[in-house]
Amino acid sequence: MSNAKLLPLLKPDSQGVAPCCPPLTERPFTAEEAETAARMFKALGDPVRLRLFSAVASHEGGEACVCDISDVGVSQPTVSHHLKKLKEAGLLTSERRGTWVYYRVEPSVLAAMGQLLTMGPAAA
């Protein structure tokens, strides 16, 4: 049993997707919003993690077997470590099927990340 804590990146609203934080240009972040966004960006701040996240996000069908994305220039245990960090940041979900683990980026996570980085009304 894992004791990993998932970050609350999304709080569904009436449209199904809400970012963890307002767009950067809308207003200053609260301490909680800044902590949540920083964890997400920290997880993506490593080149290997960013490559893995991109490999999963761009994989056909929206999910990827670890066997299909592990060729990122590091050992398999290191790949597992980085995938674990991405899961802990709430950026990936996983499902074990037999001996393989399949990873998925939920479309709502990508939408929330995009909304966070869009220009808000203050910048227009």
Side-chain angles (χ1 to χ4, degrees), residues 87 92-96 101-104 106:
K87 280 183 61 177
L92 293 180
T93 60
S94 66
E95 177 184 352
R96 178 171 292 280
V101 178
Y102 287 78
Y103 290 88
R104 181 179 316 97
E106 297 297 331

Side-chain angles (χ1 to χ4, degrees), residues 52 66 69 79-87 92 103:
L52 289 168
V66 69
I69 59 170
V79 168
S80 293
H81 166 77
H82 287 303
L83 289 169
K84 178 183 173 187
K85 293 295 184 184
L86 290 167
K87 280 183 61 177
L92 293 180
Y103 290 88

Side-chain angles (χ1 to χ4, degrees), residues 11-119:
K11 295 175 185 164
D13 64 4
S14 59
Q15 289 134 13
V17 175
C20 67
C21 316
L24 290 171
T25 56
E26 185 175 301
R27 63 170 171 75
F29 282 174
T30 65
E32 182 180 330
E33 290 167 340
E35 186 174 320
T36 300
R39 285 188 185 137
M40 177 182 65
F41 287 120
K42 183 177 181 181
L44 292 174
D46 181 280
V48 172
R49 286 186 204 140
L50 189 55
R51 287 184 67 196
L52 289 168
F53 184 75
S54 174
V56 173
S58 64
H59 202 271
E60 185 177 334
E63 69 177 8
C65 175
V66 69
C67 60
D68 294 329
I69 59 170
S70 59
D71 187 21
V72 291
V74 296
S75 68
Q76 194 284 321
T78 303
V79 168
S80 293
H81 166 77
H82 287 303
L83 289 169
K84 178 183 173 187
K85 293 295 184 184
L86 290 167
K87 280 183 61 177
E88 288 173 352
L91 298 171
L92 293 180
T93 60
S94 66
E95 177 184 352
R96 178 171 292 280
R97 297 180 197 157
T99 59
W100 296 110
V101 178
Y102 287 78
Y103 290 88
R104 181 179 316 97
V105 176
E106 297 297 331
S108 58
V109 170
L110 291 177
M113 290 171 59
Q115 289 177 10
L116 173 66
L117 297 173
T118 60
M119 299 295 268

